[in-house]
Amino acid sequence: METNKHLVFKIKEQLFTLPVIYVNTIIQLPRLFKVPQAPGYILGVINLEGNVIPVIDTSVKLGMSPLNLHDQSQVIVMQRKIEGQESFHLLGFVTEEVCDVANVEVTKMQALPNTRFEFDQRLVDGMHKINGEFCMQVNVSNFYKGEIDELIQSIADNNLPTQ
């Protein structure tokens, strides 16, 4: 039975997971710098150890109402390897709460139920149960597509460090 370690986090009382191999660090939300004309789910950028990192409201990106940001809001700084390079692109996910690290049985993932609700299913790979609760697994690669990729590329083009 193949298992992978996943970070479990909460958005709007719903549990989500992502493989820990994509997690760079978890921090409390620092000061955000707004990005003019950015889509509504891009909250801004942060400076983390000299790296400029876009931060998104994960709830809005998933088609839910915005998170209520406060002093205890947490940011999961995700990393995605740049093809053909040793470096990574970093992206901040704002969450309500980071809950746990859990073992997920890869073969037990279930498809999302078909719904009539507006939801970009490319952002979620499927669902699994952890400690008796359903969790949706985030598709990290698809979170980077579109405007986020463009913002990261813009940061790189302006020679701002992205690690």
Side-chain angles (χ1 to χ4, degrees), residues 39-57:
Y41 61 85
I42 296 177
L43 296 172
V45 296
I46 59 172
N47 180 343
L48 182 63
E49 299 172 1
N51 296 302
V52 178
I53 303 170
V55 175
I56 66 169
D57 183 328

Side-chain angles (χ1 to χ4, degrees), residues 69-128:
L69 300 179
H70 49 79
D71 291 347
Q72 302 303 312
S73 294
Q74 293 179 298
V75 178
I76 301 168
V77 178
M78 297 191 331
Q79 60 188 17
R80 180 184 66 169
K81 192 149 177 53
I82 302 171
E83 241 179 86
Q85 297 181 21
E86 293 299 313
S87 56
F88 293 90
H89 283 150
L90 301 175
L91 176 64
F93 263 36
V94 176
T95 67
E96 288 179 338
E97 179 183 354
V98 174
C99 303
D100 199 1
V101 174
N103 287 319
V104 170
E105 291 184 46
V106 178
T107 58
K108 291 195 174 182
M109 188 177 323
Q110 302 170 16
L112 289 175
N114 289 332
T115 65
R116 58 180 168 73
F117 302 112
E118 292 287 324
F119 181 73
D120 187 349
Q121 293 190 358
R122 294 171 299 178
L123 299 177
V124 176
D125 288 329
M127 298 178 76
H128 35 252

Side-chain angles (χ1 to χ4, degrees), residues 15-51:
L15 293 175
F16 291 85
T17 70
L18 61 95
V20 296
I21 61 167
Y22 292 111
V23 178
N24 178 284
T25 190
I26 300 166
I27 60 172
Q28 281 191 267
L29 182 64
R31 179 173 175 225
L32 281 166
F33 298 91
K34 297 290 183 193
V35 177
Q37 300 177 340
Y41 61 85
I42 296 177
L43 296 172
V45 296
I46 59 172
N47 180 343
L48 182 63
E49 299 172 1
N51 296 302

